[in-house]
Amino acid sequence: MNAIATSIRPAFPLRVFTEAALDTDAIVAELLEGAGAVILRGLFTPAEIAEARRIVMDESDADAGGAKVTHFQGDAEKAGRINLQRRVWNLLAKGEIFSRMAAHPAIMKVMRAFLGTEFIMGSIAANRILPGGPGQEPHIDYPYWDYHSPETHPARINSSFPLNGQVTIMLDPFTAETGATAFVPGTQRELRYPDEGDGFFDRCERMLGEVGDTVVFFGAVWHCAMPNRSQVDRSAIITQYLPKFVKPMENLPAALPAEFVKRASPDIRQLLGLNYPYPEVLDAARGGNKEGRGY
């Protein structure tokens, strides 16, 4: 069975939660021990989704050549089709709506339960796959995304505790035809990068959803964007959350205007990593005991 054949399978039943019935214990269990992904429904109004989509379309239309950096698109680059998958980076600087999305109370509550109360944001971007856009290679996400070279990682690293939480906010319908994200449920339980012998496309299910749906998943689950074989766009906001001690993928504070950082809300300051002082020049730090139970 190939990637096309997966589109005729019945929809995989991801568990669905609403803000009013947000069971964080059940969500954490599903992310770590279950399928590896859940859907949060009804977090954003149609107007909020439309505003975010308008900005993403405008920004990505200005990058018709696909000049922005992207990931897991090696085959598309070789084939000269990389411009059919476009990234829009530094979203916090491109509209207040993206701060609201990144720090939505329901998402913050889930990530506090999953990654610890002082978690940070490693990246926030948009991913737009145009009609005819190719899919990605199956992969796992940062900081696991180069685990195809396991010797560069610590001995006995595993996924028994998470170093990543991914959030995908759908700006367009995620269907089999538009290239809804493919994933193999349960693969997050054993930390391993998928290879050609794993039969990813024979085993994968799809993260199907409606406009405005929010998929939360553990980035250690095998997944990839699929080819867009429709006549419409498939776009989404993709946000990466990390424990406070993991080096973020994007240098978010450096990309933002100083005034934005100065006026950031407490939640946004946390997401930008501004509450966690390390790395710090300790030789120049104020004297006195700074850490321990008695601090």
Side-chain angles (χ1 to χ4, degrees):
M1 185 183 298
N2 58 26
I4 297 175
T6 64
S7 67
I8 65 174
R9 291 182 178 181
F12 183 80
L14 284 178
R15 293 190 65 181
V16 178
F17 297 85
T18 64
E19 187 172 10
L22 201 65
D23 186 338
T24 55
D25 288 341
I27 292 171
V28 169
E30 189 67 17
L31 296 181
L32 288 175
E33 299 148 12
V38 301
I39 288 178
L40 306 184
R41 183 157 287 160
L43 301 190
F44 304 103
T45 67
E48 288 175 316
I49 294 297
E51 181 184 358
R53 190 180 190 281
R54 176 186 57 77
I55 296 170
V56 168
M57 293 300 109
D58 288 347
E59 292 285 340
S60 60
D61 282 344
D63 182 31
K68 299 293 184 181
V69 68
T70 189
H71 308 111
F72 313 111
Q73 286 277 302
D75 288 342
E77 187 169 38
K78 292 175 185 175
R81 301 170 64 205
I82 199 168
N83 64 311
L84 295 178
Q85 188 212 54
R86 301 179 195 169
R87 299 283 184 135
V88 181
W89 299 99
N90 197 25
L91 285 181
L92 294 185
K94 293 178 170 64
E96 190 272 337
I97 179 60
F98 301 112
S99 291
R100 278 185 276 143
M101 287 180 159
H104 188 284
I107 295 173
M108 297 291 287
K109 186 174 182 180
V110 169
M111 288 300 159
R112 285 182 176 121
F114 190 54
L115 298 175
T117 59
E118 297 181 355
F119 73 95
I120 62 173
M121 184 166 63
S123 174
I124 179 169
N127 188 22
R128 177 187 179 188
I129 302 180
L130 284 75
Q136 298 173 312
E137 68 177 74
H139 62 275
I140 51 182
D141 282 340
Y142 184 92
Y144 310 111
W145 66 352
D146 59 349
Y147 200 58
H148 48 74
S149 300
E151 71 279 0
T152 67
H153 294 257
R156 298 188 183 181
I157 186 173
N158 63 76
S159 58
S160 62
F161 63 92
L163 296 178
N164 163 288
Q166 292 291 135
V167 168
T168 299
I169 302 169
M170 300 179 187
L171 304 182
D172 294 306
F174 269 42
T175 70
E177 291 71 30
T178 62
T181 305
F183 76 115
V184 179
T187 48
Q188 79 283 4
R189 297 173 212 153
E190 178 188 1
L191 182 61
R192 190 164 63 81
Y193 201 94
D195 61 37
E196 292 182 359
D198 287 315
F200 177 92
F201 295 109
D202 293 331
R203 301 164 57 191
C204 67
E205 304 289 349
R206 306 297 279 275
M207 295 180 183
L208 306 177
E210 308 164 3
V211 173
D213 278 356
T214 299
V215 177
V216 179
F217 67 98
F218 182 10
V221 71
W222 300 350
H223 66 281
C224 68
M226 293 291 275
N228 184 351
R229 296 190 172 92
S230 75
Q231 300 302 308
V232 297
D233 284 298
R234 187 277 244 184
S235 56
I237 306 303
I238 49 174
T239 310
Q240 168 200 105
Y241 299 94
L242 305 166
K244 64 181 179 181
F245 54 80
V246 173
K247 186 176 183 178
M249 189 176 85
E250 281 195 82
N251 188 347
L252 294 167
L256 292 165
E259 191 63 21
F260 179 100
V261 176
K262 179 180 178 181
R263 295 181 179 276
S265 70
D267 279 347
I268 293 296
R269 289 188 62 83
Q270 175 184 324
L271 293 180
L272 294 178
L274 299 177
N275 296 343
Y276 193 60
Y278 306 108
E280 183 178 13
V281 182
L282 293 174
D283 192 40
R286 180 175 59 87
N289 181 60
K290 194 171 182 180
E291 189 52 79
R293 293 180 186 272
Y295 174 61

